[in-house]
Short mmCIF file of all heavy atoms in Angstrom, two decimals:
data_model
loop_
_atom_site.label_atom_id
_atom_site.label_comp_id
_atom_site.label_asym_id
_atom_site.label_seq_id
_atom_site.Cartn_x
_atom_site.Cartn_y
_atom_site.Cartn_z
N VAL A 106 -26.49 -6.78 3.82
CA VAL A 106 -27.61 -5.98 4.30
C VAL A 106 -27.67 -6.29 5.77
O VAL A 106 -28.08 -7.39 6.18
CB VAL A 106 -28.88 -6.32 3.58
CG1 VAL A 106 -30.05 -5.51 4.17
CG2 VAL A 106 -28.74 -6.03 2.11
N CYS A 107 -27.18 -5.36 6.61
CA CYS A 107 -27.23 -5.56 8.05
C CYS A 107 -26.85 -4.23 8.74
O CYS A 107 -26.50 -3.25 8.09
CB CYS A 107 -26.28 -6.67 8.46
SG CYS A 107 -24.57 -6.34 8.08
N ASP A 108 -26.96 -4.25 10.03
CA ASP A 108 -26.56 -3.15 10.85
C ASP A 108 -25.12 -3.03 10.94
O ASP A 108 -24.42 -3.94 11.48
CB ASP A 108 -27.16 -3.32 12.26
CG ASP A 108 -26.87 -2.12 13.18
OD1 ASP A 108 -26.08 -1.27 12.89
OD2 ASP A 108 -27.40 -2.11 14.28
N SER A 109 -24.52 -1.95 10.44
CA SER A 109 -23.01 -1.80 10.39
C SER A 109 -22.32 -1.63 11.74
O SER A 109 -21.12 -1.82 11.90
CB SER A 109 -22.63 -0.64 9.48
OG SER A 109 -23.18 0.54 10.03
N SER A 110 -23.10 -1.36 12.72
CA SER A 110 -22.51 -1.19 14.03
C SER A 110 -22.24 -2.52 14.82
O SER A 110 -21.67 -2.53 15.84
CB SER A 110 -23.45 -0.27 15.00
OG SER A 110 -24.64 -1.02 15.27
N GLN A 111 -22.67 -3.60 14.18
CA GLN A 111 -22.39 -4.92 14.63
C GLN A 111 -21.14 -5.52 13.99
O GLN A 111 -21.03 -5.49 12.74
CB GLN A 111 -23.59 -5.87 14.42
CG GLN A 111 -24.89 -5.33 14.98
CD GLN A 111 -24.85 -5.16 16.49
OE1 GLN A 111 -24.40 -5.99 17.22
NE2 GLN A 111 -25.25 -3.99 16.92
N ASP A 112 -20.20 -6.03 14.71
CA ASP A 112 -19.01 -6.64 14.20
C ASP A 112 -19.39 -7.80 13.21
O ASP A 112 -20.27 -8.50 13.58
CB ASP A 112 -18.06 -7.04 15.27
CG ASP A 112 -16.75 -7.57 14.76
OD1 ASP A 112 -16.28 -7.09 13.74
OD2 ASP A 112 -16.18 -8.40 15.41
N ASP A 113 -18.60 -7.91 12.21
CA ASP A 113 -18.75 -9.03 11.28
C ASP A 113 -17.47 -9.86 11.33
O ASP A 113 -16.46 -9.46 10.79
CB ASP A 113 -19.03 -8.53 9.89
CG ASP A 113 -19.35 -9.59 8.93
OD1 ASP A 113 -19.12 -10.81 9.26
OD2 ASP A 113 -19.90 -9.36 7.84
N PRO A 114 -17.55 -11.07 11.94
CA PRO A 114 -16.35 -11.87 12.11
C PRO A 114 -15.80 -12.39 10.73
O PRO A 114 -14.71 -12.91 10.67
CB PRO A 114 -16.79 -13.03 13.00
CG PRO A 114 -18.24 -13.03 12.88
CD PRO A 114 -18.71 -11.66 12.62
N ARG A 115 -16.61 -12.19 9.64
CA ARG A 115 -16.14 -12.66 8.34
C ARG A 115 -15.04 -11.65 7.76
O ARG A 115 -14.32 -12.04 6.90
CB ARG A 115 -17.31 -12.70 7.36
CG ARG A 115 -18.37 -13.69 7.67
CD ARG A 115 -19.60 -13.54 6.84
NE ARG A 115 -20.23 -12.31 7.16
CZ ARG A 115 -21.56 -12.05 6.82
NH1 ARG A 115 -22.24 -12.88 6.11
NH2 ARG A 115 -22.14 -10.93 7.26
N ILE A 116 -14.93 -10.51 8.36
CA ILE A 116 -14.00 -9.54 7.91
C ILE A 116 -12.79 -9.63 8.75
O ILE A 116 -12.78 -9.31 9.95
CB ILE A 116 -14.65 -8.14 7.94
CG1 ILE A 116 -15.90 -8.05 7.06
CG2 ILE A 116 -13.61 -7.10 7.40
CD1 ILE A 116 -15.76 -8.59 5.61
N PRO A 117 -11.63 -9.93 8.14
CA PRO A 117 -10.41 -10.00 8.96
C PRO A 117 -9.91 -8.61 9.35
O PRO A 117 -10.35 -7.64 8.78
CB PRO A 117 -9.39 -10.68 7.95
CG PRO A 117 -9.92 -10.38 6.58
CD PRO A 117 -11.43 -10.35 6.75
N ALA A 118 -9.07 -8.52 10.28
CA ALA A 118 -8.53 -7.25 10.74
C ALA A 118 -7.39 -6.75 9.85
O ALA A 118 -6.32 -6.57 10.26
CB ALA A 118 -8.03 -7.38 12.19
N ASP A 119 -7.68 -6.67 8.53
CA ASP A 119 -6.72 -6.22 7.55
C ASP A 119 -7.27 -5.15 6.70
O ASP A 119 -6.93 -5.06 5.45
CB ASP A 119 -6.22 -7.40 6.69
CG ASP A 119 -7.22 -7.88 5.65
OD1 ASP A 119 -8.44 -7.57 5.82
OD2 ASP A 119 -6.81 -8.45 4.70
N ILE A 120 -8.09 -4.34 7.21
CA ILE A 120 -8.78 -3.26 6.34
C ILE A 120 -7.70 -2.24 6.04
O ILE A 120 -7.14 -1.60 6.86
CB ILE A 120 -9.98 -2.62 7.09
CG1 ILE A 120 -11.06 -3.66 7.36
CG2 ILE A 120 -10.51 -1.48 6.31
CD1 ILE A 120 -12.20 -3.17 8.23
N SER A 121 -7.57 -2.05 4.73
CA SER A 121 -6.57 -0.99 4.18
C SER A 121 -7.25 0.35 4.03
O SER A 121 -6.63 1.33 4.14
CB SER A 121 -6.04 -1.43 2.81
OG SER A 121 -5.23 -2.55 2.89
N LEU A 122 -8.53 0.34 3.67
CA LEU A 122 -9.33 1.54 3.48
C LEU A 122 -10.72 1.32 4.00
O LEU A 122 -11.39 0.31 3.68
CB LEU A 122 -9.40 1.88 1.94
CG LEU A 122 -10.22 3.06 1.53
CD1 LEU A 122 -9.71 4.36 2.14
CD2 LEU A 122 -10.34 3.09 0.03
N LEU A 123 -11.08 2.19 4.88
CA LEU A 123 -12.46 2.22 5.51
C LEU A 123 -13.17 3.52 5.06
O LEU A 123 -12.61 4.60 5.31
CB LEU A 123 -12.33 2.14 7.00
CG LEU A 123 -13.65 2.26 7.78
CD1 LEU A 123 -14.59 1.11 7.52
CD2 LEU A 123 -13.34 2.30 9.30
N PHE A 124 -14.28 3.32 4.47
CA PHE A 124 -15.07 4.52 4.01
C PHE A 124 -16.38 4.57 4.88
O PHE A 124 -17.18 3.70 4.76
CB PHE A 124 -15.41 4.41 2.55
CG PHE A 124 -16.31 5.55 2.06
CD1 PHE A 124 -16.12 6.86 2.53
CD2 PHE A 124 -17.28 5.32 1.11
CE1 PHE A 124 -16.87 7.94 2.04
CE2 PHE A 124 -18.01 6.37 0.65
CZ PHE A 124 -17.86 7.64 1.08
N LEU A 125 -16.44 5.57 5.75
CA LEU A 125 -17.63 5.75 6.68
C LEU A 125 -18.60 6.68 6.09
O LEU A 125 -18.33 7.90 5.88
CB LEU A 125 -17.13 6.29 8.01
CG LEU A 125 -16.15 5.40 8.87
CD1 LEU A 125 -15.63 6.15 10.03
CD2 LEU A 125 -16.95 4.17 9.28
N ASP A 126 -19.74 6.18 5.70
CA ASP A 126 -20.83 6.95 5.13
C ASP A 126 -22.23 6.35 5.53
O ASP A 126 -23.16 6.36 4.76
CB ASP A 126 -20.70 7.08 3.58
CG ASP A 126 -21.59 8.10 2.97
OD1 ASP A 126 -22.11 8.89 3.69
OD2 ASP A 126 -21.84 8.05 1.78
N GLY A 127 -22.21 5.85 6.78
CA GLY A 127 -23.45 5.22 7.21
C GLY A 127 -24.38 6.17 8.02
O GLY A 127 -24.70 7.20 7.56
N CYS A 128 -24.66 5.75 9.21
CA CYS A 128 -25.55 6.59 10.05
C CYS A 128 -24.85 7.95 10.30
O CYS A 128 -23.68 8.06 10.54
CB CYS A 128 -25.74 5.85 11.39
SG CYS A 128 -26.97 6.71 12.50
N HIS A 129 -25.65 8.95 10.18
CA HIS A 129 -25.10 10.38 10.23
C HIS A 129 -25.33 11.13 11.53
O HIS A 129 -25.28 12.34 11.55
CB HIS A 129 -25.61 11.12 8.99
CG HIS A 129 -25.03 10.71 7.72
ND1 HIS A 129 -25.38 9.48 7.12
CD2 HIS A 129 -24.13 11.25 6.86
CE1 HIS A 129 -24.67 9.39 5.97
NE2 HIS A 129 -23.91 10.39 5.88
N ASP A 130 -25.60 10.43 12.58
CA ASP A 130 -25.64 11.14 13.84
C ASP A 130 -24.41 10.73 14.69
O ASP A 130 -23.72 9.73 14.35
CB ASP A 130 -26.94 10.83 14.59
CG ASP A 130 -27.17 9.46 14.95
OD1 ASP A 130 -26.18 8.66 15.26
OD2 ASP A 130 -28.35 8.97 14.88
N ASP A 131 -24.09 11.53 15.67
CA ASP A 131 -22.87 11.26 16.43
C ASP A 131 -22.87 9.80 17.05
O ASP A 131 -21.77 9.19 17.00
CB ASP A 131 -22.73 12.24 17.58
CG ASP A 131 -22.25 13.58 17.04
OD1 ASP A 131 -21.62 13.63 16.01
OD2 ASP A 131 -22.56 14.64 17.65
N GLU A 132 -23.91 9.33 17.51
CA GLU A 132 -23.97 8.02 18.12
C GLU A 132 -23.71 6.93 17.08
O GLU A 132 -22.94 5.97 17.28
CB GLU A 132 -25.36 7.80 18.73
CG GLU A 132 -25.41 6.47 19.53
CD GLU A 132 -26.82 6.38 20.23
OE1 GLU A 132 -27.17 7.26 20.96
OE2 GLU A 132 -27.39 5.30 20.01
N GLY A 133 -24.29 7.06 15.88
CA GLY A 133 -24.08 6.10 14.78
C GLY A 133 -22.67 6.11 14.28
O GLY A 133 -22.08 5.07 14.06
N VAL A 134 -22.07 7.27 14.14
CA VAL A 134 -20.72 7.38 13.71
C VAL A 134 -19.81 6.75 14.70
O VAL A 134 -18.95 5.99 14.39
CB VAL A 134 -20.33 8.89 13.41
CG1 VAL A 134 -18.81 9.00 13.20
CG2 VAL A 134 -21.11 9.46 12.30
N ALA A 135 -20.04 7.07 15.99
CA ALA A 135 -19.27 6.46 17.07
C ALA A 135 -19.32 4.89 17.05
O ALA A 135 -18.30 4.29 17.22
CB ALA A 135 -19.63 7.03 18.42
N ALA A 136 -20.54 4.39 16.85
CA ALA A 136 -20.69 2.99 16.83
C ALA A 136 -19.95 2.27 15.68
O ALA A 136 -19.20 1.29 15.83
CB ALA A 136 -22.13 2.58 16.68
N ASP A 137 -19.98 2.95 14.49
CA ASP A 137 -19.25 2.41 13.38
C ASP A 137 -17.70 2.50 13.56
O ASP A 137 -16.97 1.58 13.26
CB ASP A 137 -19.60 3.20 12.11
CG ASP A 137 -20.99 2.76 11.52
OD1 ASP A 137 -21.42 1.63 11.93
OD2 ASP A 137 -21.61 3.57 10.83
N VAL A 138 -17.29 3.60 14.18
CA VAL A 138 -15.83 3.84 14.46
C VAL A 138 -15.35 2.73 15.43
O VAL A 138 -14.31 2.08 15.23
CB VAL A 138 -15.53 5.22 14.88
CG1 VAL A 138 -14.06 5.34 15.42
CG2 VAL A 138 -15.67 6.16 13.71
N ARG A 139 -16.10 2.55 16.49
CA ARG A 139 -15.74 1.51 17.52
C ARG A 139 -15.75 0.12 16.90
O ARG A 139 -14.93 -0.67 17.24
CB ARG A 139 -16.78 1.53 18.71
CG ARG A 139 -16.47 2.62 19.70
CD ARG A 139 -17.31 2.39 20.94
NE ARG A 139 -18.74 2.23 20.74
CZ ARG A 139 -19.67 3.18 20.59
NH1 ARG A 139 -19.31 4.43 20.76
NH2 ARG A 139 -20.95 2.89 20.42
N THR A 140 -16.61 -0.14 16.06
CA THR A 140 -16.74 -1.54 15.42
C THR A 140 -15.66 -1.72 14.42
O THR A 140 -14.98 -2.80 14.38
CB THR A 140 -18.15 -1.70 14.72
OG1 THR A 140 -19.15 -1.54 15.74
CG2 THR A 140 -18.24 -3.06 14.10
N TRP A 141 -15.49 -0.83 13.49
CA TRP A 141 -14.54 -1.03 12.36
C TRP A 141 -13.19 -0.44 12.55
O TRP A 141 -12.21 -0.91 11.93
CB TRP A 141 -15.21 -0.53 11.10
CG TRP A 141 -16.47 -1.27 10.83
CD1 TRP A 141 -17.74 -0.86 11.17
CD2 TRP A 141 -16.59 -2.55 10.31
NE1 TRP A 141 -18.66 -1.78 10.86
CE2 TRP A 141 -17.98 -2.90 10.32
CE3 TRP A 141 -15.66 -3.51 9.83
CZ2 TRP A 141 -18.52 -4.08 9.80
CZ3 TRP A 141 -16.15 -4.70 9.37
CH2 TRP A 141 -17.50 -4.99 9.36
N GLY A 142 -13.04 0.58 13.33
CA GLY A 142 -11.69 1.22 13.50
C GLY A 142 -10.57 0.32 13.93
O GLY A 142 -9.52 0.38 13.36
N PRO A 143 -10.82 -0.60 14.88
CA PRO A 143 -9.70 -1.47 15.25
C PRO A 143 -9.29 -2.48 14.17
O PRO A 143 -8.24 -3.12 14.27
CB PRO A 143 -10.28 -2.30 16.47
CG PRO A 143 -11.40 -1.37 16.93
CD PRO A 143 -11.94 -0.68 15.78
N LYS A 144 -10.09 -2.65 13.13
CA LYS A 144 -9.74 -3.57 12.03
C LYS A 144 -8.93 -2.90 10.95
O LYS A 144 -8.49 -3.56 10.01
CB LYS A 144 -10.96 -4.18 11.43
CG LYS A 144 -11.68 -5.17 12.46
CD LYS A 144 -12.72 -5.90 11.73
CE LYS A 144 -13.33 -6.98 12.68
NZ LYS A 144 -14.04 -7.96 11.94
N VAL A 145 -8.67 -1.53 11.02
CA VAL A 145 -7.96 -0.84 10.01
C VAL A 145 -6.46 -0.98 10.42
O VAL A 145 -6.05 -0.71 11.53
CB VAL A 145 -8.33 0.68 9.97
CG1 VAL A 145 -7.44 1.41 8.92
CG2 VAL A 145 -9.80 0.83 9.63
N VAL A 146 -5.67 -1.42 9.44
CA VAL A 146 -4.27 -1.67 9.72
C VAL A 146 -3.53 -0.40 9.88
O VAL A 146 -3.88 0.66 9.36
CB VAL A 146 -3.60 -2.48 8.57
CG1 VAL A 146 -4.20 -3.85 8.39
CG2 VAL A 146 -3.64 -1.72 7.23
N PRO A 147 -2.46 -0.45 10.72
CA PRO A 147 -1.58 0.78 10.78
C PRO A 147 -1.14 1.15 9.41
O PRO A 147 -0.68 0.34 8.63
CB PRO A 147 -0.38 0.27 11.66
CG PRO A 147 -0.92 -0.81 12.48
CD PRO A 147 -1.98 -1.50 11.54
N GLY A 148 -1.21 2.42 9.09
CA GLY A 148 -0.83 2.91 7.76
C GLY A 148 -2.07 2.90 6.81
O GLY A 148 -1.97 3.37 5.70
N GLY A 149 -3.25 2.34 7.22
CA GLY A 149 -4.42 2.38 6.40
C GLY A 149 -5.07 3.66 6.41
O GLY A 149 -4.70 4.57 7.11
N TYR A 150 -6.06 3.75 5.56
CA TYR A 150 -6.78 5.05 5.39
C TYR A 150 -8.24 4.93 5.83
O TYR A 150 -8.84 3.93 5.65
CB TYR A 150 -6.77 5.48 3.91
CG TYR A 150 -5.43 5.76 3.41
CD1 TYR A 150 -4.53 4.84 2.96
CD2 TYR A 150 -4.99 7.14 3.45
CE1 TYR A 150 -3.24 5.15 2.57
CE2 TYR A 150 -3.73 7.48 2.94
CZ TYR A 150 -2.83 6.45 2.47
OH TYR A 150 -1.57 6.80 2.02
#
Side-chain angles (χ1 to χ4, degrees):
V106 178
C107 61
D108 181 352
S109 63
S110 68
Q111 305 301 311
D112 185 29
D113 186 344
R115 295 171 288 197
I116 303 305
D119 75 338
I120 297 174
S121 293
L122 174 64
L123 174 64
F124 179 38
L125 296 171
D126 191 16
C128 186
H129 287 72
D130 60 37
D131 284 332
E132 186 178 308
V134 172
D137 285 338
V138 168
R139 279 192 309 272
T140 300
W141 298 99
K144 291 188 173 199
V145 180
V146 298
Y150 292 84

